[in-house]
Amino acid sequence: LGSWHTGMQPPTPPVKQFISDVDQGLPRSRTSRPFGMAVVIGNQTYTNRDIPTVDCGNDARSIHTYLTEILGCQGEFFLTNATKAQFEAHFGTAQDRSGKLSQAVILSRSDVFVYYSGPRAPDLQNQRACFVLAETNPTLVRQTGYELDLFYRIYLDTRQVSIIIVIDTCFSGSTHVGTLHQSASPLLISE
């Protein structure tokens, strides 16, 4: 299936490295999953100064290691600080669902594991959750982010592919260092 490593990273401030006990001395897989696809996204640095840097890079790297070295997934997408253009190229749009991931999977054979670590925020007009991408504008989340509903529609409609999606974040637009935009309230979101 090949490998794609994408993601232009803006300069990142130093982030304290944390290595958990779980990540040390990991066993290597003796099995290979030639149709296994590891899709890992770790968004933590943003061009908009109103969005605080969040420490999710370690989580993304750990999950990537588990999926490729322990579970033996042969295909992979590893995106860091993904932009809207990268999300659309990899996962598709409402008008065209044929992104790189859908082109890489083999129907009835591929096992896809998607892991996203980074903030999500509500669109202030329709209260829908969106992935906060590297260049997201906090006041235009829907236009500059990527709607979670679209992401689910594209991949959960594909019944001939085994897919697991793990979203490691909250819906409120809050992070451990503050709120993405002042007018967002965690109580607005209902799913």
Side-chain angles (χ1 to χ4, degrees):
L1 289 173
S3 296
W4 296 272
H5 293 279
T6 56
M8 293 186 61
Q9 297 179 349
T12 57
V15 177
K16 183 178 178 183
Q17 292 291 326
F18 173 76
I19 299 174
S20 72
D21 293 341
V22 176
D23 294 328
Q24 297 178 16
L26 298 173
R28 299 287 185 226
S29 175
R30 292 184 181 201
T31 61
S32 176
R33 289 184 168 79
F35 303 108
M37 177 66 72
V39 181
V40 179
I41 305 112
N43 277 8
Q44 67 179 22
T45 305
Y46 304 90
T47 57
N48 189 305
R49 293 176 188 230
D50 292 334
I51 302 175
T53 298
V54 293
D55 186 12
C56 65
N58 290 328
D59 296 339
R61 282 187 293 277
S62 292
I63 293 295
H64 180 261
T65 299
Y66 275 94
L67 293 174
T68 58
E69 296 182 15
I70 297 173
L71 297 181
C73 292
Q74 297 297 301
E76 60 182 289
F77 292 99
F78 187 62
L79 302 169
T80 56
N81 302 323
T83 64
K84 183 168 184 164
Q86 289 172 320
F87 247 69
E88 290 178 346
H90 284 79
F91 306 116
T93 65
Q95 296 77 27
D96 183 2
R97 296 181 176 195
S98 62
K100 290 181 180 181
L101 179 58
S102 65
Q103 294 170 12
V105 299
I106 299 171
L107 297 181
S108 301
R109 297 194 78 178
S110 292
D111 295 315
V112 181
F113 187 100
V114 179
Y115 174 82
Y116 173 86
S117 181
R120 283 183 290 167
D123 172 59
L124 295 179
Q125 292 181 344
N126 65 20
Q127 300 177 20
R128 290 186 181 163
C130 296
F131 291 108
V132 175
L133 305 176
E135 80 281 48
T136 295
N137 179 328
T139 59
L140 299 169
V141 174
R142 179 172 32 99
Q143 293 86 349
T144 60
Y146 193 92
E147 282 195 24
L148 183 64
D149 286 347
L150 172 62
F151 185 81
Y152 284 146
R153 278 197 314 271
I154 289 172
Y155 292 102
L156 295 183
D157 285 349
T158 306
R159 303 284 184 227
Q160 294 178 312
V161 174
S162 169
I163 185 165
I164 297 172
I165 300 173
V166 176
I167 309 293
D168 184 7
T169 189
C170 67
F171 284 96
S172 68
S174 297
T175 71
H176 67 286
V177 292
T179 303
L180 297 184
H181 43 74
Q182 297 299 319
S183 53
S185 168
L187 300 176
L188 293 174
I189 301 298
S190 61
E191 293 206 35

